[in-house]
Amino acid sequence: MDGLAGLFALVYAAEQQSYVGAARVAGISPSAIGKSIARLEGRLGVRLFNRTTRSISLTEEGAVLYERYKRIIDDMQDAEAGILRSRQRPTGRLRVSVPHIVGHHLLMPILPMFAARFPEIELDIDFEDRVVDLVAEGLDAVVRSGELADARLIARHLGEQHFVVCGSADYLDRRGRPQTPNDLSGHACIHFKYPSSGRIAPWSFRDPYERLLLPKSLTFNNTDAGLRAAQDGLGLAHLPVYVAQPHIRAGNLVPVLTAFMAPFGSLSLVWPSNRQLSPKVRAFVDFVVENFAARPEAFRPAAHWSR
């Protein structure tokens, strides 16, 4: 600490050519400047300033030391300025985790706009269907479905998730259109299982059908595979509306049982509460919320758009 005091005292005194001027820049007393320089001279065993009653000037040794000390101070100031700039504009590596289906169908389409708007952010995105530990794994933000039970986390609501049961027109011509969820007992049902646990995802029917046992004709651990199977006429699939909707509008899939569907749970963008919301995280959070809000149909019950 004494060395740092001497470093600043020498540089300020050399530039101001007086202890009084150096003290004004440093915000301390002239005597404190003089004592720091005296201690520095004593430690080095050389005289650093030529002193007169009116002014001071560097000795040869002082000039050498000034050049080195000046570079150190400039580097320190550059480092601090860089930190201030990074706090003012979004920059740096941003680690994010999203479920596969959300990442592919909701996040990927908007990433080009994000990259164009924030070119100094380096995105590092994991596609994970397991529940990750943000704090332990050093993640900046995750997209998570369901209720937020961890007090260490803060969340921004993205929307309510809704699903739709659908199949190809060819399949429905062959097997008939179910009128209630009970009719699914006579159909081929395409299921999704969570890759991390192997658990079969339930279909989101309203009471009294929410615990309905459904036949398992096909099971995939990938939603896009279930989508393809439904399009190919292999059965009825239970799909997020934002996955199924483009294919329903294109005529590749036909929705059924829309009046019986219940919300599947909320979708949120989550980050650790014990970390300051840096510009890069704030930029990502605000951008995702803004662009998800611009797609209300992605979070609208199927019964509202499939009639």
Side-chain angles (χ1 to χ4, degrees):
M1 292 300 295
D2 195 43
L4 281 175
L7 180 153
F8 283 100
L10 182 140
V11 170
Y12 292 158
E15 292 178 343
Q16 299 297 317
Q17 297 184 335
S18 76
Y19 287 178
V20 173
R24 189 181 307 113
V25 173
I28 57 178
S29 67
S31 63
I33 292 289
K35 289 176 182 178
S36 293
I37 291 174
R39 284 193 294 268
L40 181 59
E41 289 178 326
R43 189 167 65 251
L44 297 176
V46 296
R47 189 161 49 89
L48 300 173
F49 285 96
N50 297 309
R51 299 170 177 86
T52 69
T53 56
R54 294 186 176 183
S55 66
I56 60 173
S57 61
L58 288 167
T59 64
E60 184 177 347
E61 292 85 356
V64 171
L65 207 58
Y66 167 79
E67 294 296 330
R68 299 291 296 272
Y69 281 5
K70 176 62 173 173
R71 286 199 294 270
I72 292 171
I73 291 177
D74 287 344
D75 287 344
M76 293 170 64
Q77 291 174 339
D78 286 344
E80 291 180 359
I83 294 297
L84 290 173
R85 286 194 299 271
S86 71
R87 292 186 62 187
Q88 293 166 357
R89 73 173 188 271
T91 185
R93 184 178 179 224
L94 182 70
R95 291 199 61 208
V96 179
S97 176
V98 297
H100 279 81
I101 197 64
V102 174
H104 283 296
H105 290 268
L106 292 178
L107 185 60
M108 290 301 293
I110 64 176
L111 281 188
M113 291 185 292
F114 182 84
R117 188 181 300 181
F118 305 106
E120 295 183 54
I121 294 180
E122 174 198 344
L123 278 174
D124 183 348
I125 303 177
D126 293 337
F127 282 54
E128 293 276 7
D129 286 322
R130 65 185 176 89
V131 178
V132 298
D133 188 325
L134 283 83
V135 177
E137 299 180 40
L139 292 162
D140 294 300
V142 304
V143 176
R144 181 168 291 177
S145 60
E147 297 301 318
L148 186 65
D150 194 332
R152 300 175 301 167
L153 305 179
I154 300 175
R156 285 280 296 275
H157 183 69
L158 296 175
E160 292 297 316
Q161 295 187 92
H162 294 277
F163 278 62
V164 59
V165 177
C166 50
S168 69
D170 175 68
Y171 171 85
L172 293 171
D173 286 343
R174 287 186 284 112
R175 303 289 293 269
R177 187 183 182 112
Q179 299 302 307
T180 73
N182 285 331
D183 295 336
L184 293 174
S185 61
H187 282 267
C189 293
I190 303 167
H191 293 270
F192 171 79
K193 67 178 179 181
Y194 296 102
S196 57
S197 65
R199 184 173 66 88
I200 303 296
W203 290 25
S204 54
F205 292 123
R206 297 185 184 279
D207 182 67
Y209 302 104
E210 73 273 18
R211 298 186 183 276
L212 192 66
L213 292 177
L214 302 173
K216 296 181 177 64
S217 302
L218 280 171
T219 301
F220 297 100
N221 68 352
N222 180 278
T223 300
D224 286 321
L227 168 67
R228 176 62 183 271
Q231 289 177 299
D232 289 343
L234 297 180
L236 298 175
H238 177 255
L239 299 169
V241 294
Y242 54 81
V243 173
Q245 188 182 54
H247 304 280
I248 291 173
R249 286 179 170 167
N252 300 320
L253 289 174
V254 178
V256 297
L257 304 174
T258 57
F260 297 91
M261 306 307 296
F264 198 75
S266 62
L267 198 66
S268 302
L269 190 52
V270 182
W271 62 92
S273 61
N274 62 347
R275 295 182 190 167
Q276 184 179 4
L277 193 59
S278 65
K280 62 182 179 181
V281 176
R282 183 178 299 280
F284 183 77
V285 169
D286 290 344
F287 180 86
V288 171
V289 170
E290 170 193 337
N291 281 275
F292 278 30
R295 292 192 57 191
E297 76 283 356
F299 304 101
R300 186 175 296 150
H304 288 188
W305 48 260
S306 62
R307 291 170 182 165

